[in-house]
Amino acid sequence: MGAPAVLRQPTDKPPFTLAEIRKAIPPHCFERSLIKSSYYLLHDLFIVAALVYLATVVIPALPAGLPRLVAWTLYWVAQGCVWLGVWTIGHECGHHAFSDYQLLDDALGLVLHSWLLVPYFSWKYSHRRHHSNRGSLERDENFVPQQKAALACDRERVQVFVTDVSLLAVWFALFKLASAFGFWSVVRVYGMPLLVVNAWLVRIVYLHHTHQAVPHYDSSEWDWLRGALATVDRDYGVLNYFFHHIADTHVLHHLFSAMPHYHAMEATKAIRPLLGDYYKFDATPIAKALWRETRECVYVESMGDGKGVFCRDRLFADNLMRLASTSEGAEAGNSVSDPLLRLEDKKPDEDKEPGDNV
């Protein structure tokens, strides 16, 4: 039996405001707790340390050959997943969501992202532009044609310089470690997990913002709220826990980026009834979704109605509009045979958050 279609997100101005969305969320979800945020950071660092112990003490003691190769592979994948959680906490620092202290957030974010060879302040300012211009074909900076953007002020230039110095310090530390323990030891313990975490980052960010149901706008139609809603939540199963729910609460994150991740699931559940069709969640298995999106979401083109609204696939958009016009069939939950319209997993129950089935 086919899965129900996920209809294209409405492109009209929403019948609600950002203030109304905020009002639907319990007030405590906007509170940042230094103690709670620190707990999640220490939780991740403990797992990182335990995995490093396995990599430096246990794995080298295993018999050479297949047992050691399997152990190294498991280490790389596990450590890369945990490091993505560390990256997520650094990401929250960039949004001033870790604590009430901006200086602490920036200092911690600089350390965590530099450890992962991420240029913290450079990323912070370009990422801020992404949040300010999501869904805009001219001004967004994620998976759309990009234009060179100059830094806004001398303060940003100084902080980018600090970022460069931090990255040079990490590279120097890696050089000293390689000199002391050997190049391949550093590659096994540090380099391979770094490849894994960056592979996850590219995949997650791409799938957040690439979907046939999500529209894009030019300057004649774009506004901040519609742009912020032009993203999709995905379910990574048990990895949602290790990723601190960065993937299954991303719609909320674009609306309230300063909200700590440990309130995001509760807040997402609170706003979904208000957002209605403006909220999109796709439970298609991630590998399958990645294959589908890379094949079918190649370009955007105008919807053909004279407005500045663009869809990933004109055929997909036209078929969805015809499908929506036959509301009786859609409401009855009829399956859709056109592969362009199908999402292979059912939308979760309305009384559950996307990650409830983890």
Side-chain angles (χ1 to χ4, degrees):
M1 180 177 179
V6 174
L7 296 182
R8 177 172 55 85
Q9 187 183 76
T11 57
D12 295 331
K13 289 190 176 182
F16 46 79
T17 65
L18 184 64
E20 290 171 333
I21 300 174
R22 186 182 182 95
K23 188 176 180 180
I25 299 173
H28 71 266
C29 290
F30 295 96
E31 297 174 0
R32 294 168 291 208
S33 168
L34 178 58
I35 294 176
K36 186 173 289 189
S37 296
S38 299
Y39 161 77
Y40 284 101
L41 175 59
L42 293 175
H43 166 275
D44 288 356
L45 295 180
F46 175 81
I47 299 176
V48 168
L51 290 171
V52 169
Y53 175 82
L54 292 176
T56 56
V57 177
V58 177
I59 296 179
L62 294 175
L66 184 60
R68 196 178 297 180
L69 177 60
V70 171
W72 276 120
T73 302
L74 292 175
Y75 164 77
W76 297 332
V77 173
Q79 190 72 289
C81 291
V82 178
W83 283 9
L84 183 59
V86 175
W87 182 93
T88 302
I89 292 177
H91 165 265
E92 289 205 340
C93 291
H95 284 293
H96 193 23
F98 185 85
S99 74
D100 292 329
Y101 309 101
Q102 182 70 69
L103 182 61
L104 173 62
D105 285 9
D106 280 340
L108 182 60
L110 179 65
V111 171
L112 295 179
H113 274 195
S114 295
W115 162 26
L116 298 173
L117 297 182
V118 177
Y120 174 74
F121 284 110
S122 305
W123 161 84
K124 175 180 175 179
Y125 296 124
S126 65
H127 189 64
R128 183 173 63 189
R129 294 186 184 97
H130 162 61
H131 272 263
S132 298
N133 299 288
R134 171 63 199 143
S136 169
L137 287 174
E138 288 103 345
R139 297 187 301 276
D140 197 358
E141 296 189 2
N142 275 86
F143 295 103
V144 292
Q146 299 186 19
Q147 297 179 353
K148 184 177 180 180
L151 292 174
C153 62
D154 290 338
R155 178 173 174 269
E156 290 185 358
R157 292 189 180 93
V158 170
Q159 292 181 327
V160 169
F161 175 76
V162 171
T163 294
D164 294 340
V165 172
S166 298
L167 292 177
L168 288 174
V170 172
W171 278 112
F172 180 74
L174 291 172
F175 170 76
K176 298 298 288 185
L177 288 170
S179 300
F181 300 102
F183 172 77
W184 289 111
S185 294
V186 173
V187 169
R188 286 193 297 267
V189 175
Y190 179 85
M192 296 302 293
L194 191 66
L195 290 178
V196 172
V197 70
N198 280 282
W200 275 121
L201 280 173
V202 172
R203 177 182 296 188
I204 288 172
V205 175
Y206 174 76
L207 290 177
H208 278 162
H209 305 101
T210 306
H211 196 286
Q212 291 171 323
V214 174
H216 292 256
Y217 307 92
D218 68 13
S219 57
S220 68
E221 281 288 322
W222 181 87
D223 61 66
W224 185 88
L225 183 55
R226 279 190 290 177
L229 291 169
T231 184
V232 60
D233 284 350
R234 306 272 188 173
D235 188 1
Y236 285 74
V238 70
L239 293 178
N240 289 331
Y241 173 79
F242 293 100
F243 294 170
H244 298 309
H245 297 282
I246 193 174
D248 58 336
T249 62
H250 195 70
V251 174
L252 174 92
H253 175 66
H254 266 278
L255 294 170
F256 304 105
S257 59
M259 182 181 294
H261 73 271
Y262 40 82
H263 293 315
M265 293 183 69
E266 179 182 0
T268 294
K269 185 175 181 179
I271 66 174
R272 283 181 62 179
L274 177 62
L275 298 186
D277 288 339
Y278 286 88
Y279 174 83
K280 293 302 174 188
F281 173 78
D282 187 350
T284 302
I286 295 304
K288 189 172 187 177
L290 183 64
W291 174 251
R292 182 190 64 204
E293 262 61 285
T294 54
R295 288 188 303 115
E296 299 174 1
C297 297
V298 179
Y299 58 88
V300 296
E301 64 174 325
S302 172
M303 295 295 294
D305 54 5
K307 297 181 179 179
V309 180
F310 294 75
C311 186
R312 286 282 181 181
D313 187 299
R314 179 70 176 275
L315 174 63
F316 176 80
D318 291 345
N319 286 340
L320 284 183
M321 292 174 70
R322 287 196 297 270
L323 178 66
S325 68
T326 58
S327 58
E328 295 82 6
E331 291 174 1
N334 292 345
S335 62
V336 180
S337 58
D338 189 333
L340 284 176
L341 304 183
R342 294 179 60 190
L343 289 177
E344 298 298 326
D345 286 65
K346 293 183 178 181
K347 185 177 179 182
D349 295 336
E350 290 301 322
D351 60 345
K352 290 186 178 180
E353 296 181 38
D356 281 351
N357 58 346
V358 174

